[in-house]
Amino acid sequence: MCGIVGYIGEKEANDILIAGLEKLEYRGYDSAGVAVISKNNIININKKKGRVEILKNLTPLLGTYGIGHSRWSTHGVPSDRNAHPFTDQSNQFAVVHNGIIENYLELKEELRNEGVEFSSDTDSEVIVHLIAKNYQGDLKEAVLKIIKRLQGAYSFCVIKADGHEIIGARNGSPLVIGLGKKENFFASDVSAIIEHTRDVIYLNDFQIARITKENVEVFNFQGEEEALDVREVNWTLEKAQKQGYKHFMLKEIFEQPEVIKETLKVPIHVQNNFSRIIMVACGTASYAGLVGKYIIEEVAKIHVLYEIASEFRYKENLLTQNDLIIVISQSGETADTLAAVRLAKEKGAKTLGIVNVVDSTIAREVDERIYTRAGPEIGVASTKAFISQLIIMYKLAFHLAGKEFDANGVVEKIKETLAKHEEIRTLAQKYYLYQNFLYIGRNRNFPLALEGALKLKEISYIHAEAYPAGELKHGPIALVSEEMPTLAVCPRDSVYAKTFSNIEEIKAREGKVITIATEGDQEIKRVSNDVIYIPKVEEILYPLLCTIPLQLFAYYIAECRGCDIDHPRNLAKAVSVE
Ligand code: F6R
């Protein structure tokens, strides 16, 4: 993962780089660093283990161009020593890198044999030493030479002490160029530079670019110049700020009515000329896909397979040209999901991407795309993107059935559910000290149980497991005790009675149960310790409503536990490594 920024212009680079890195922290926050070239052509570096803000306490580096990095560790522990940027031994070159150099051990060995001393345990450091070794007067040429040696997915930026240019290369990890007036930028994503410019060029894989204060050039990996594909970013900085909320996650939870309204407007034009649909995604996005499977099968009567992208990419999927592969991704950069797209295309299957980030890699590579309209999602735990993915699942199901999706006042009902936040907060105060949770649901509620448990795990670090409610008695019920509460998703739908019985089985074993149930359901109180009521809606719409209390419950539990909600440990927002 990791975040990269580069700046070259007339302003002081230090603060611009740090501000950019703060926007990219969602990509990783193990360490941060900047390299700035001084007036007398010396590369100066500030880098430290920990969050980007630490860099603000260090003496600012003076100079008008440089590069910066926020790290999500892959090779080598989070430490000052493993923080980027890295320099070569003569301190002439500095590099920041995002991705993994898979053959770094072999390259390191080779460089060591030539007398290079390494200053970190990272895979990234080989890049800068290779560049120093291959430099013969032209930095771009040196980069073109060394990329032939690199295996794996990466993007990196490099500067030379007297170069007055930044070279960026992309193969598998995102890199965007921002075009300004007498200044240009590199960044892992536009949020880092949107404060300065809305005109951007998304580099494609196998492209490198050279930016100077006045000029931008893009080349392919053979060194041939390519046309500049300049695009305009269509969202604003305000959308990427907290606006008074304590955390981005909370702000994003409360944005959901608006997100639903916007996403309901998205037109769907998918042809129904395939024999199978295969949903492929990771994490939360995959749970949206699983809800989609239930709904499409129910509404459109089309068989849908559900696959986790990291599994799909390495197994025999028996794909044919008659398959439609639907990939779902908020970031549009998830390495495994992207690999699934490429695999599907290789086999001649059709690909449809449901993506939030416009012009992201997945959005560009799929045959057809539908954009969710969640706006920039900054909180590492996905919330509003999930609900927008669900909306697209509904729209798609009804479209495939030849019908119009009628959301039937769901936005108002979502608002009513959000209004229960204080009640859910009080409930969280009662439960936040438990170390383990079970989540259960049946049918369309099962993926929600998965999503609720994932939210709790990732932001509160409480162990939570989700099961189809009917599966409990095949093993997991052995876990039920006073010490392990269960959160049951049990609205008044066609499987209500069945889930109700499962809740009773838990109660009979002294398990505590919190149930998400439909307003007016008095019976459920008999088997639940606590009930979170959601408004009554048409049965098929319950997944949308049940999502809200699951998110708020996880949020408030994490708040009670004093967790760093927008930056959960070990995680990053865009998972561009496999
Ligand atoms: C969890 C979460 C992740 C992502 C997953 C896929 O809250 O955000 O599980 O859903 O990493 O990411 P995208 O949707 O960007 O492909």
Side-chain angles (χ1 to χ4, degrees), residues 8 21 24 26 77 80 95 99 140 146 167 180 192 194 227 245 280 290 299 329 343 362 369 384 551 557 571:
I8 185 158
L21 290 179
L24 294 180
Y26 71 84
V77 295
D80 292 357
V95 161
K140 180 197 106 197
I146 72 122
I167 309 289
I194 192 159
Y245 282 91
V280 189
L290 190 52
V299 176
S329 177
L343 177 78
I362 292 175
R369 66 212 49 71
K384 62 175 180 168
Q551 295 170 340
I557 291 247
L571 294 179

Side-chain angles (χ1 to χ4, degrees), residues 282-285 328-334 337 380-382 389 451 454-455 458 573 575:
C282 301
T284 289
I328 308 171
S329 177
Q330 187 285 126
S331 63
E333 302 293 347
T334 302
T337 312
V380 167
S382 183
Q389 290 157 352
E451 170 59 4
L454 179 63
K455 288 286 93 83
E458 60 184 336
K573 181 99 185 132
V575 187

Side-chain angles (χ1 to χ4, degrees), residues 279-330:
M279 294 283 179
V280 189
C282 301
T284 289
S286 83
Y287 300 146
L290 190 52
V291 175
K293 169 184 163 69
Y294 280 98
I295 294 172
I296 294 171
E297 288 181 345
E298 184 177 336
V299 176
K301 315 287 179 218
I302 297 172
H303 188 48
V304 182
L305 296 175
Y306 160 77
E307 298 278 0
I308 299 290
S310 54
E311 287 296 308
F312 177 84
R313 64 182 293 188
Y314 292 118
K315 65 193 261 292
E316 179 49 80
N317 298 293
L318 307 174
L319 295 180
T320 74
Q321 294 177 349
N322 299 324
D323 291 325
L324 174 67
I325 312 304
I326 303 184
V327 294
I328 308 171
S329 177
Q330 187 285 126

